Amino acid sequence: MGDSAAAGSAVRLRPGTIADIPAFRALGEAVVPVTYGPIDAAYAQRMLDEWWIPEIFEKSLERNTHLVAERDGEVVALANLGRLSRSYRAFPHVTDPHVTGDREVMWKLYVHPDHQGLGIGSRLLAEVEALVEGDELWLEVVDGNDQAYDFYLSRGFVEVERVSDGRWPDDVWLRKSLGRTGR
Ligand SMILES: CC(C)(COP(=O)(O)OP(=O)(O)OC[C@H]1O[C@@H](n2cnc3c(N)ncnc32)[C@H](O)[C@@H]1OP(=O)(O)O)[C@@H](O)C(=O)NCCC(=O)NCCS
């Protein structure tokens, strides 16, 4: 990982741990409402209430690999990677994730609004890609999050499917082939 300069001060990537949970929550409060509020304010609140809470981070830290970006000693971004088959969520649209349909998924990539556009998200994505064991990285984008959707498409992801539950915004699944076949 190591240091690099982004707009003047050093950004350091390191593994995330249970000690980071309060910083994860603070990051969520800074980034979730501005990202999802314009799409669906109730959904943004639900995300914070149901997913950006200590109990969920504890579960996630047991099952997934977390990476944080620190700037001047402060957590300014978070990414994580894990397998669909180990998620506590259900994915009825994926046929038997334990057998043929498992996916390596980047569940989160969030950069604090004050630190976006400085290359931190790209660095975290590159680190996550380096951790993928198979040939594909998957992720979900909330329908309407055009900034993130465009970011991922410009970095080689393609849209695979849209999953609707009829109540909340659709999840758009993207996949990137990492070109490692035959490794
Ligand atoms: C999408 C996101 C992860 C990108 O991380 P980042 O550190 O801002 O991105 P980088 O600086 O590495 O790259 C900037 C690129 O993203 C685009 N971008 C996305 N959001 C941007 C922002 N707020 N400010 C500037 N550029 C932004 C730029 O167009 C730029 O594209 P280019 O390099 O192809 O010209 C980050 O903006 C973010 O956390 N957004 C809000 C949360 C979110 O939607 N996360 C994804 C959930 S699936």
Side-chain angles (χ1 to χ4, degrees), residues 23-175:
F24 293 164
R25 174 69 197 182
L27 177 65
E29 286 173 4
V31 72
V32 167
V34 293
T35 302
Y36 300 108
I39 300 168
D40 182 334
Y43 186 64
Q45 191 59 49
R46 176 187 173 225
M47 277 179 141
L48 278 179
D49 293 346
E50 293 188 11
W51 298 331
W52 289 75
I53 56 174
E55 302 88 293
I56 294 293
F57 281 119
E58 281 164 21
K59 275 196 213 177
S60 180
L61 283 158
E62 282 168 14
R63 295 157 199 237
N64 305 311
T65 301
H66 291 64
L67 293 174
V68 302
E70 265 186 353
R71 196 163 180 201
D72 299 327
E74 237 181 88
V75 172
V76 296
L78 164 66
N80 68 12
L81 172 73
R83 288 188 186 268
L84 189 93
S85 58
R86 303 203 67 213
S87 175
Y88 49 83
R89 286 169 56 201
F91 298 92
H93 72 287
V94 179
T95 316
D96 205 350
H98 293 278
V99 182
T100 52
D102 209 358
R103 300 176 179 181
E104 287 178 89
V105 183
M106 184 170 71
W107 297 111
K108 280 190 169 59
L109 176 61
Y110 286 88
V111 180
H112 189 289
D114 293 347
H115 303 269
Q116 291 176 8
L118 302 174
I120 296 172
S122 298
R123 277 186 64 193
L124 282 169
L125 175 59
E127 289 290 339
V128 167
E129 287 180 12
L131 293 171
V132 171
E133 292 175 356
D135 185 44
E136 290 177 342
L137 176 60
W138 292 76
L139 58 86
E140 297 167 293
V141 183
V142 173
D143 188 30
N145 187 358
D146 297 338
Q147 200 180 59
Y149 184 89
D150 292 348
F151 170 82
Y152 292 129
L153 258 60
S154 76
R155 274 136 182 93
F157 286 83
V158 293
E159 182 176 329
V160 176
E161 60 201 358
R162 281 172 186 254
V163 181
S164 179
D165 69 1
R167 176 165 179 212
W168 301 106
D170 291 352
D171 289 323
V172 183
W173 278 91
L174 308 182
R175 176 181 62 204

